[in-house]
Amino acid sequence: MKIALLSILSEIHDEERINDSLKDKYQFLNNNFEITEIAVDEVADHDFSDYDLTINFIKSGGSEKNFARIFEYLPQPVYLYAVELHNSLPAALEILSFVNARGAEAKILHGENEDLLVEIKELIEYRRIRNKISEAKIGVIGKPSDWLIGSQVDREHAAQHWGTEFIDIEMEEVYSALKNIEQKEAEKVAEQYFIKAEKMLESSKADLIKAAEIYLALKKLAVDYDLDALTIRCFDLVEKINNTGCLALALLNDEGITAGCEGDIAAVFTMYLAAQLTGETPFMANPVKIDSKKDQINFAHCTVPLSISEKFILRSHFETGIGVGIQGILRKEAVTVFKIGGAGLEQYFVAEGKIIENMNSQNACRTQIKVELPQSSDYFLSDAIANHHLIIAGHHAAKINHFLAKE
């Protein structure tokens, strides 16, 4: 991990003496990172793009003026490394106020070496994720479904905030790709998942082959457009080809191509961010029942990544009774419920709970779970960020809060 360390101190101090007193600080940094130290006079002409992180080492009091001289050239956010010697921390506090007053983000790094090591590594990881999000390409295949009236995203606003590129792809391109899928390849995929399934109920082998063709067509589009994620107006598939994208989305998610339903841009963006930040593959679902007294919420959808299911059953699509849907049986474990939304994808909700039961109602989408989610009922009934929310295995609220607090 490469760090640019900007050396900032007052001219009235003897730099050699200061550096000698900071030997243990330098040793800590050099033992854990690849350090390039940069003097104040070199900052304006320096290229910081090759570093994992830039840290401003505030070595002494009276260094505020020198920091102000280079502020406009610094990568954002501004990280200030302050120590307990030479009035370093007081200077850093003054600089922090200076940076905040100019609408930029700053943070002081101060404390024991062990804690700083964890924090700096986390900042480097967050920057990597942030860069990945800013470079991501998300395909919107067809328009968002007509009923997503509360999930509208201002793509220009969102792109300015996150850097993510949203690419419109017509449904006709899916139908065109389907015409070029080799039947034997689709049959091979279908047979593979027919064998893996616990059983097949309403669907047929022919339905499964057609669902496999949809998977192969969407995968080709993802490759052709170099997509990191996609969302599709999937009910159009029902009307046009009498099948669904449920299997396709499940398999794409398992392969690391984030894939969401119904053209829901906010939901698929949340899925992509969640996968990058937590390393887990999320389950996109509808809240279908809320028990406020017990703080229990039922979530359901007709597709779920197979990799997060203990076992799965091949079913028909719930609303239409056609094609292939998936009834996944999920582990009873701790989960995080998460959603990003708002016009510019600037709002979010996160809470931790536990899956306590797999349900099997005939009146809801095929994969159904009951989640105990303390103190969250009011949010869903009063302030919910639209319909779809993500279920992510594990405890991730602290990490999500920490990451998004910087956005």
Side-chain angles (χ1 to χ4, degrees):
M1 291 178 278
K2 298 171 63 177
I3 290 179
L5 189 69
L6 276 55
S7 182
I8 306 174
L9 75 162
S10 167
E11 295 88 344
I12 67 171
H13 288 85
D14 182 335
E15 185 168 8
E16 186 175 343
R17 185 182 69 84
I18 290 280
N19 286 345
D20 187 63
S21 71
L22 297 172
K23 281 183 178 178
D24 63 322
K25 310 299 181 184
Y26 276 107
Q27 184 176 0
F28 153 66
L29 292 169
N30 285 309
N31 284 348
N32 293 285
F33 306 100
E34 183 182 339
I35 299 295
T36 300
E37 189 161 14
I38 302 165
V40 167
D41 292 340
E42 300 172 329
V43 170
D45 299 318
H46 202 83
D47 181 6
F48 293 94
S49 60
D50 288 336
Y51 298 98
D52 295 306
L53 200 68
T54 298
I55 295 177
N56 301 273
F57 193 173
I58 311 304
K59 294 181 176 180
S60 75
S63 57
E64 296 90 336
K65 185 177 179 181
N66 282 334
F67 176 87
R69 282 201 295 121
I70 62 171
F71 171 63
E72 64 179 299
Y73 304 108
L74 298 178
Q76 305 289 324
V78 174
Y79 297 110
L80 309 168
Y81 179 31
V83 298
E84 68 277 11
L85 306 173
H86 312 299
N87 283 323
S88 166
L89 182 57
L93 291 167
E94 191 71 21
I95 292 169
L96 178 70
S97 182
F98 170 87
V99 175
N100 288 339
R102 281 149 185 78
E105 181 189 341
K107 179 175 176 56
I108 294 175
L109 307 176
H110 179 76
E112 299 297 324
N113 286 349
E114 297 80 8
D115 297 328
L116 284 173
L117 179 60
V118 171
E119 185 170 17
I120 292 171
K121 286 185 175 180
E122 185 179 73
L123 290 172
I124 290 172
E125 175 65 6
Y126 285 177
R127 185 183 178 194
R128 182 195 67 78
I129 293 168
R130 187 63 177 80
N131 288 343
K132 195 161 186 179
I133 292 168
S134 70
E135 296 166 359
K137 296 178 181 179
I138 297 180
V140 183
I141 304 177
K143 297 177 181 178
S145 295
D146 297 337
W147 51 83
L148 296 178
I149 60 173
S151 301
Q152 302 300 313
V153 173
D154 181 333
R155 297 191 206 180
E156 184 176 349
H157 182 183
Q160 287 175 350
H161 182 68
W162 291 101
T164 309
E165 182 181 359
F166 299 95
I167 301 170
D168 286 312
I169 302 170
E170 297 294 332
M171 288 296 296
E172 288 302 324
E173 293 199 46
V174 179
Y175 307 139
S176 177
L178 280 168
K179 294 176 182 177
N180 296 312
I181 298 300
E182 293 186 9
Q183 182 75 5
K184 287 185 178 180
E185 189 177 3
E187 289 174 355
K188 183 178 178 181
V189 172
E191 184 63 23
Q192 179 183 355
Y193 289 98
F194 178 77
I195 293 171
K196 289 182 178 181
E198 188 79 3
K199 55 187 171 181
M200 176 183 281
L201 295 180
E202 304 89 352
S203 302
S204 67
K205 273 283 192 75
D207 293 328
L208 189 57
I209 293 169
K210 178 60 71 174
E213 291 175 355
I214 296 170
Y215 154 69
L216 293 169
L218 292 182
K219 186 173 181 178
K220 183 178 187 306
L221 289 179
V223 172
D224 289 348
Y225 280 93
D226 191 25
L227 300 178
D228 299 284
L230 62 86
T231 181
I232 182 169
R233 188 179 168 97
C234 44
F235 275 76
D236 282 18
L237 296 173
V238 173
E239 297 175 359
K240 183 76 173 181
I241 60 175
N242 208 40
N243 211 305
T244 68
C246 301
L247 179 70
L249 301 183
L251 300 186
L252 289 172
N253 277 303
D254 284 341
E255 293 176 6
I257 302 172
T258 300
C261 316
E262 304 171 37
D264 191 333
I265 296 171
V268 76
F269 177 84
T270 312
M271 292 174 74
Y272 182 73
L273 186 149
Q276 299 308 311
L277 189 59
T278 69
E280 300 288 344
T281 304
F283 167 38
M284 171 183 169
N286 305 315
V288 295
K289 179 182 177 182
I290 298 172
D291 186 333
S292 300
K293 292 181 180 179
K294 296 181 179 179
D295 269 329
Q296 294 175 354
I297 302 175
N298 291 11
F299 292 91
H301 229 190
C302 279
T303 184
V304 62
L306 304 183
S307 61
I308 68 172
S309 306
E310 287 189 313
K311 56 185 178 180
F312 66 94
I313 302 167
L314 296 172
R315 304 284 306 271
S316 64
H317 180 246
F318 163 62
E319 284 94 343
T320 62
I322 66 171
V324 178
I326 300 171
Q327 182 178 359
I329 309 302
L330 305 190
R331 288 177 288 276
K332 296 177 184 177
E333 62 181 346
V335 293
T336 302
V337 178
F338 179 39
K339 177 67 179 292
I340 293 176
L345 298 174
E346 74 286 354
Q347 304 171 13
Y348 79 97
F349 166 81
V350 65
E352 292 182 350
K354 182 180 180 181
I355 297 175
I356 58 174
E357 188 177 353
N358 285 277
M359 315 292 287
N360 192 27
S361 169
Q362 297 305 305
N363 299 306
C365 292
R366 300 308 189 186
T367 297
Q368 306 166 21
I369 55 172
K370 180 179 287 186
V371 177
E372 194 170 69
L373 203 64
Q375 301 179 335
S376 297
S377 298
D378 285 347
Y379 157 77
F380 280 100
L381 296 174
S382 302
D383 299 304
I385 302 175
N387 169 19
H388 297 126
H389 283 67
L390 306 190
I391 316 299
I392 312 164
H395 294 284
H396 304 290
K399 190 169 191 178
I400 290 169
N401 279 321
H402 196 193
F403 180 81
L404 292 177
K406 303 178 183 302
E407 298 302 328

